């Protein structure tokens, strides 16, 4: 008997002994993050926690307050956008493993991560929780991540299924996306998370698709997930995403969760019981859900007194993984005059400017917020790395104080209010406030005066924060807030060699990019982020991050805005179809500021001798890569497929990250995946472009 059948048989034996009340207790929240168990049968409750950047703090069972004395601080991990910039499958697995072990260490069964929605627009407030605009890159890394989580007897819960690409009115908006685009762009990574990552659970999205809310969708949950993908894992609703007892009961959703404390009134609680008792809904619908939950519990060794892995949190090894990921995630966007790396022994006086240099980011963003054990800011990282021989001065340069209206995050219980306003808004511009403008001008002036003094290096650290990159709120444009553009422009007039470092969860306009010789990008990079940045600035680490999303010049360079709609009204049109991210820019010749796959190094790599072979039905592209510079470094060899007659100019088909010491050479082997082959469709002539970014193609085969 296969394990799956075995699980089903065991589940049925348990279900046969359960009362209707007991079954219903298992399929809806009885706490904000927990369902009921059946103690007499040895079935424990299912305990869940957010989220992608670490295990979230504990909450009271029935309200959104965190109790005292929880000792629930954890390793704050780099966000998924940072992980994606590493283009490193091994690190994705290691980071998943840290999250899984910490979740077990905190007594959780399901970790509500990773978020793998496609980045359709740079304005989506939750982009920092997601990996990439590219479904192949997202799927490859997410599958590794999930496997890492689950080896700790904790279920990953891949989210939000599906087409949840915006926060504005996320509870009500219907994504008008054609089926081909849906499958090739928006479902592909989910498919891989299920098929290759074997995610034990999946979270349905808030929005609607084809007239149905995703958490009750027959098309998504039954036809695609259960029938086509053969999924026998547990489907959990997003918090408050269920709207109808009959539809939800008869759909393939298994667990209803929400943000309010009226647990017995949830659609899959008392209302369902009544409908079953009156014969309107069959009890079998409930049995099927309980079966899926029991299968998940068996996979996690939660039943029958089996031995289950123990976990741990805040270990030194976990902090090391967070540092490793952060180091490889930082992207050197520009280094025209080789200002970087800085030479520590030549630094006597350094000036750091910018509020983000001295600000922590772990405690914001919505459900991804983390109670971090600690967080090394960039200023702290720079100071500790530069050492006692150099003086490091600091000027804030700008302030984020009340500069913009905050989304729903002004109060502690934002999540309780998260079902209001259609579930999300678009950020509003701050009202002109003369006191604040005066304060910004004063801070700017102080920074400009300071920059005129003789410093060996001036480093600006700005960007966004979680008032902008936040659940429940999309940005209204790509501009840097708080007068930073003016500040950077003025500073660059004084110091042409200023190093601009930006921290954010989504790309921003950089109107001063031509004037800035050196630009470094970091996503929210976990508790060791500041150390990682200092390592890169000082050359202890050779940067190897590559953009996993296109950095548009402005939002008109993005297809969701140029062709499609964002954020739309009741409906949002996806008329750009498959031309998402670089697929649009490459095909339609729209130049971005920095292209998908871009990221510089302190060394250079030479590509040669491309070859193609097939091995056990797998296409493999290989080429020689040589480190032609003076320092060792990592290079991500990217392979793009170019199909004759396709609507899209090129698509990422494979990648491999290789490490080479100075002068060393290797053969990089890249297994490629062609989208049309997965779908067993037409075989067409394909060329492959091999290169260092989507624009820097070095070889064609
Ligand atoms: C978010 C989910 C999260 C859940 C529980 C919802 O608001 O969309 O991603 O896991 O809350 O906190």
């Amino acid at each position: 008997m296969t394990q799956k059948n075995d699980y089903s048989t065991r589940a049925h034996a348990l279900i046969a002994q359960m009362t209707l009340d007991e079954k219903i207790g298992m399929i809806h929240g009885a706490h904000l993050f927990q369902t009921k168990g059946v103690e007499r049968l040895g079935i424990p409750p299912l305990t869940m926690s957010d989220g992608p950047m670490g295990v979230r703090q504990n909450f009271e069972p029935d309200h959104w307050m965190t109790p005292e004395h929880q000792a629930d601080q954890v390793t704050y991990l780099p966000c998924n956008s940072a992980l994606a910039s590493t283009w490193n499958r091994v690190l994705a697995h290691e980071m998943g493993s840290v999250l899984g072990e910490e979740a077990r260490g905190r007594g959780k069964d399901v970790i509500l991560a990773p978020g793998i929605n496609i980045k359709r627009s740079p304005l989506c407030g939750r982009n920092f929780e997601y990996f990439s605009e590219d479904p192949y890159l997202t799927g490859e890394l997410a599958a590794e991540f999930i496997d890492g989580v689950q080896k700790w007897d904790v279920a990953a819960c891949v989210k939000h299924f599906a087409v949840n690409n915006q926060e504005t009115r996320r509870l009500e908006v219907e994504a008008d996306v054609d089926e081909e685009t849906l499958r090739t762009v928006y479902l592909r990574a989910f498919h891989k998370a299920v098929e290759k990552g074997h995610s034990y659970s999946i979270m349905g999205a808030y929005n609607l698709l084809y007239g149905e809310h995703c958490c009750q969708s027959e098309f998504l949950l039954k036809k695609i997930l259960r029938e086509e993908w053969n999924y026998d894992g547990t489907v959990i609703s997003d918090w408050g995403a269920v709207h109808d007892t009959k539809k939800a009961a008869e759909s393939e959703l298994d667990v209803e969760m929400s943000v309010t404390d009226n647990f017995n009134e949830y659609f899959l609680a008392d209302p369902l019981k009544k409908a079953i008792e009156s014969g309107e809904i069959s009890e079998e619908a409930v049995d099927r859900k309980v079966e899926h939950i029991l299968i998940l519990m068996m996979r996690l060794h939660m039943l029958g007194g089996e031995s289950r892995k123990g976990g741990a949190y805040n270990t030194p090894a976990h902090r090391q993984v967070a540092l490793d990921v952060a180091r490889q995630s930082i992207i050197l966007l520009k280094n025209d005059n080789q200002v970087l790396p800085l030479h520590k022994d030549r630094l006597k006086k350094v000036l750091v400017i910018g509020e983000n240099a001295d600000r922590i980011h772990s405690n914001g963003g919505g459900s991804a917020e983390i109670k971090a054990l600690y967080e090394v800011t960039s200023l702290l990282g720079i100071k500790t790395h530069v050492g006692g021989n150099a003086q490091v001065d600091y000027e804030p340069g700008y302030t984020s104080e009340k500069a913009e209206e905050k989304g729903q995050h002004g109060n502690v219980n934002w999540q309780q209010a998260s079902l209001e306003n259609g579930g999300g808004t678009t950020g509003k511009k701050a009202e002109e406030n003369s006191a604040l403008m005066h304060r910004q001008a004063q801070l700017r002036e102080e920074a400009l005066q300071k920059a005129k003094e003789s410093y060996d290096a001036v480093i600006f650290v700005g960007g966004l924060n979680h008032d902008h990159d936040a659940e429940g709120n999309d940005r209204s444009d790509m501009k840097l807030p708080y007068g930073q553009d003016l500040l950077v422009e003025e500073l660059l007039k004084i110091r042409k060699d200023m190093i601009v470092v930006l921290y954010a969860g989504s790309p921003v306009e950089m109107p001063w990019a031509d004037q800035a010789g050196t630009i470094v990008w970091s996503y929210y990079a976990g508790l060791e982020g500041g150390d990682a940045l200092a390592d890169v600035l000082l050359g202890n680490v050779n940067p190897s991050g590559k953009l996993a999303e296109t950095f548009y010049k402005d939002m008109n360079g993005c297809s969701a805005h140029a062709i499609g709609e964002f954020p739309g009204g009741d409906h949002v049109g996806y008329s750009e179809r498959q031309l998402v991210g670089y697929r649009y820019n490459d095909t339609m010749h729209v130049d971005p500021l920095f292209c998908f796959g871009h990221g510089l190094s302190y060394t250079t790599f030479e590509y040669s001798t491309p070859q193609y072979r097939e091995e056990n039905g797998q296409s493999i592209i290989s080429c020689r890569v040589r480190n032609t510079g003076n320092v060792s470094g990592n290079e991500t060899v990217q392979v793009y497929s170019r199909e004759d007659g396709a609507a899209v100019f090129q698509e990422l088909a494979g990648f491999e990250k290789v490490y080479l010491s100075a002068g060393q050479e290797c053969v990089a082997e890249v297994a490629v995946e062609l989208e049309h082959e997965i779908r067993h469709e037409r075989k067409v002539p394909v060329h492959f472009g091999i290169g260092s970014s989507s624009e820097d193609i070095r070889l064609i085969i």
Side-chain angles (χ1 to χ4, degrees):
M1 193 185 282
T2 64
Q3 195 172 44
K4 196 167 154 177
N5 287 339
D6 186 30
Y7 285 154
S8 273
T9 311
R10 277 175 69 194
H12 283 293
L14 280 168
I15 293 168
Q17 301 171 60
M18 290 166 69
T19 65
L20 179 60
D21 279 328
E22 286 170 338
K23 293 178 198 172
I24 286 188
M26 287 183 67
I27 65 169
H28 69 87
H31 291 177
L32 294 172
F33 284 97
Q34 201 179 56
T35 57
K36 273 193 195 146
V38 185
E39 210 180 333
R40 68 178 186 93
L41 296 176
I43 303 171
L46 198 63
T47 306
M48 308 168 219
S49 172
D50 285 301
M53 306 197 295
V55 188
R56 196 177 177 191
Q57 71 266 32
N58 292 334
F59 287 96
E60 297 281 3
D62 55 0
H63 62 276
W64 293 94
M65 293 294 285
T66 175
E68 284 184 275
H69 311 301
Q70 295 294 295
D72 54 357
Q73 293 87 345
V74 288
T75 304
Y76 160 41
L77 294 163
C79 65
N80 284 337
S81 300
L83 178 62
S85 317
T86 69
W87 293 60
N88 188 324
R89 294 179 180 87
V90 175
L91 285 180
H93 196 272
E94 285 179 10
M95 193 167 115
S97 172
V98 169
L99 189 61
E101 189 178 359
E102 298 225 341
R104 268 313 288 136
R106 288 267 312 279
K108 312 297 179 190
D109 305 313
V110 179
I111 185 84
L112 306 171
I116 64 167
N117 293 97
I118 292 298
K119 297 189 190 192
R120 175 174 176 254
S121 156
L123 305 187
C124 173
R126 293 186 86 172
N127 275 347
F128 70 99
E129 290 187 60
Y130 304 143
F131 286 75
S132 171
E133 67 191 24
D134 183 81
Y136 173 75
L137 180 59
T138 303
E140 284 293 292
L141 297 178
E144 294 291 343
F145 186 99
I146 291 164
D147 194 55
V149 168
Q150 295 189 159
K151 68 179 203 197
W152 289 101
D153 290 347
V154 166
C157 184
V158 65
K159 65 192 188 185
H160 308 88
F161 190 61
V163 269
N164 182 180
N165 307 111
Q166 66 184 57
E167 293 302 287
T168 310
R169 308 186 73 233
R170 61 180 172 164
L171 295 175
E172 295 163 3
V173 71
E174 176 163 352
D176 288 341
V177 55
D178 66 273
E179 196 174 327
E180 187 180 8
T181 304
L182 176 75
R183 287 174 181 273
T184 54
V185 178
Y186 296 100
L187 296 186
R188 189 169 159 196
F190 281 102
H191 192 187
K192 194 168 272 180
V194 164
E195 199 161 68
K196 188 171 167 201
H198 305 289
S199 191
Y200 295 159
S201 67
I202 188 166
M203 185 188 291
Y206 280 124
N207 51 285
L208 293 101
L209 176 72
Y210 304 153
E212 301 175 296
H213 269 105
C214 291
C215 285
Q216 315 169 157
S217 161
E218 190 167 333
F219 175 78
L220 265 185
L221 303 184
K222 186 159 186 273
K223 180 168 187 300
I224 305 252
L225 189 61
R226 299 287 190 205
E227 292 175 4
E228 291 186 22
W229 300 353
N230 220 2
Y231 185 66
D232 67 352
T234 300
V235 182
I236 300 171
S237 77
D238 202 340
W239 270 231
V242 174
H243 299 267
D244 184 281
T245 297
K246 190 164 164 64
K247 281 191 191 139
E250 290 175 352
S251 78
E252 288 296 326
L253 176 82
D254 299 313
V255 181
E256 179 194 2
M257 299 300 291
S258 192
V259 298
T260 49
D261 62 1
N262 54 339
F263 305 111
N264 291 334
E265 292 163 34
Y266 284 13
F267 293 97
L268 295 188
D270 288 352
L272 174 60
K273 188 179 169 194
K274 271 196 207 113
I276 290 175
E277 285 169 346
S278 71
E280 194 197 339
I281 296 173
S282 131
E283 191 166 339
E284 279 164 24
V286 180
D287 291 354
R288 220 173 37 245
K289 299 180 194 307
V290 174
E291 179 185 346
H292 291 139
I293 299 165
L294 289 171
I295 289 178
L296 175 140
M297 289 183 166
M298 287 178 224
R299 291 189 163 128
L300 302 182
H301 308 289
M302 289 171 69
L303 301 180
E306 282 183 43
S307 97
R308 185 176 180 194
K309 290 216 177 88
Y313 58 113
N314 295 321
T315 68
H318 292 179
R319 300 197 272 277
Q320 184 62 45
V321 172
L323 178 60
D324 292 345
V325 173
R327 282 174 169 161
Q328 290 203 25
S329 75
I330 292 170
I331 303 157
L332 182 59
L333 292 174
K334 255 186 115 173
N335 195 20
D336 288 354
N337 308 309
Q338 274 70 51
V339 166
L340 290 178
L342 296 169
H343 296 277
K344 185 172 162 177
D345 43 1
R346 288 185 221 151
L347 293 178
K348 293 287 171 267
K349 271 183 85 185
V350 177
L351 176 61
V352 178
I353 302 169
E355 189 195 74
N356 256 357
D358 199 26
R359 173 179 181 134
I360 62 163
H361 297 285
S362 45
N363 56 353
S367 56
E369 69 192 349
I370 289 303
K371 203 195 273 182
L373 180 63
Y374 62 83
E375 181 176 344
V376 180
T377 62
S378 345
L379 184 60
L380 179 58
I382 291 168
K383 278 195 164 182
T384 53
H385 280 68
V386 155
N389 288 334
Q391 171 187 332
V392 180
D393 294 339
Y394 173 69
E395 285 291 332
Y398 68 90
T399 175
S400 63
E401 274 166 43
K402 296 191 198 99
E404 299 225 341
E405 266 186 36
K406 293 183 181 170
Q408 302 170 353
H409 299 261
N411 60 40
V412 196
N413 296 325
W414 70 268
Q415 201 146 7
Q416 192 158 0
S418 65
L419 303 184
E420 293 164 11
N421 295 325
T425 50
T426 307
K428 292 189 195 82
K429 281 274 133 203
E431 280 177 25
E432 294 285 285
N433 168 331
S434 59
L436 182 61
M437 284 169 74
H438 181 256
R439 176 91 185 111
Q440 297 288 24
Q442 192 183 11
L443 290 172
R444 184 164 58 243
E445 197 44 41
E446 284 165 13
L448 293 173
Q449 287 312 322
K450 202 80 180 157
K452 287 180 186 153
E453 294 178 18
S454 63
Y455 282 100
D456 301 314
V458 177
I459 307 169
F460 173 79
V461 185
L464 302 177
N465 56 47
H466 285 304
D467 285 344
H468 303 267
D469 291 311
E471 181 174 342
N473 191 49
D474 295 319
R475 287 188 294 158
S476 53
D477 59 42
M478 282 178 62
K479 292 190 193 312
L480 276 173
Y482 321 128
Q484 289 179 82
D485 283 332
L486 179 60
L487 173 63
V488 172
E489 269 159 28
E490 295 293 317
L491 283 168
L492 284 168
K493 286 183 196 154
I494 298 168
R495 290 292 301 236
K496 268 191 172 47
D497 64 344
M498 181 173 78
I499 299 159
V500 180
V501 179
L502 295 179
Y503 270 88
S506 263
V508 294
E509 283 176 30
M510 303 182 204
W512 34 261
D514 285 345
Q515 281 70 54
T518 318
I519 309 177
V520 177
W521 181 269
S522 176
Y523 289 100
Y524 304 115
L527 47 60
E528 289 288 343
D531 280 326
L533 177 71
D535 277 333
V536 165
L537 296 180
L538 293 167
N540 307 333
V541 165
N542 187 353
S544 64
K546 299 270 189 185
L547 291 180
E549 63 185 307
T550 306
F551 275 26
Y552 310 102
K553 287 181 183 152
D554 56 41
M555 58 200 237
N556 298 323
C558 163
S559 59
H561 301 272
I563 305 180
E565 286 179 303
F566 187 98
D570 291 346
H571 287 252
V572 54
Y574 282 53
S575 46
E576 73 278 12
R577 307 196 67 219
Q578 284 117 317
L579 295 182
V580 175
Y582 68 90
R583 287 167 166 76
Y584 167 68
N585 299 76
D586 294 348
T587 311
M588 306 305 280
H589 309 290
V590 178
D591 282 343
L593 184 58
F594 298 106
C595 72
F596 179 82
H598 171 73
L600 302 172
S601 163
Y602 296 149
T603 186
T604 42
F605 298 96
E606 191 180 271
Y607 287 58
S608 64
T609 339
Q611 283 182 342
Y612 174 88
R613 68 171 198 281
E614 280 180 27
E615 219 172 81
N616 306 324
Q618 168 76 63
S619 305
I620 295 169
I621 303 285
S622 66
C623 69
R624 291 189 165 275
V625 186
R626 185 177 167 76
N627 180 344
T628 47
N630 299 323
V631 288
S632 52
N634 288 292
E635 169 70 331
T636 299
V637 177
Q638 303 165 36
V639 175
Y640 294 85
S641 61
R642 296 171 170 194
E643 295 175 19
D644 281 359
V648 176
F649 172 62
Q650 60 175 5
E651 293 188 274
L652 184 70
F655 62 91
E656 213 51 63
K657 195 161 188 171
V658 295
Y659 176 81
L660 292 168
S661 344
Q664 203 190 353
E665 183 177 88
C666 76
V667 175
E669 303 239 313
V670 184
V672 294
E673 180 181 290
L674 297 177
E675 207 283 322
H676 66 81
E677 280 183 12
I678 320 175
R679 296 200 293 142
H680 308 291
E681 285 197 350
R682 70 204 189 278
K683 206 141 178 104
V684 293
V686 180
H687 306 282
F688 293 98
I690 310 168
S692 188
S693 80
S694 59
E695 283 182 359
D696 185 9
I697 299 295
R698 310 281 181 86
L699 307 165
I700 305 261
I701 184 169

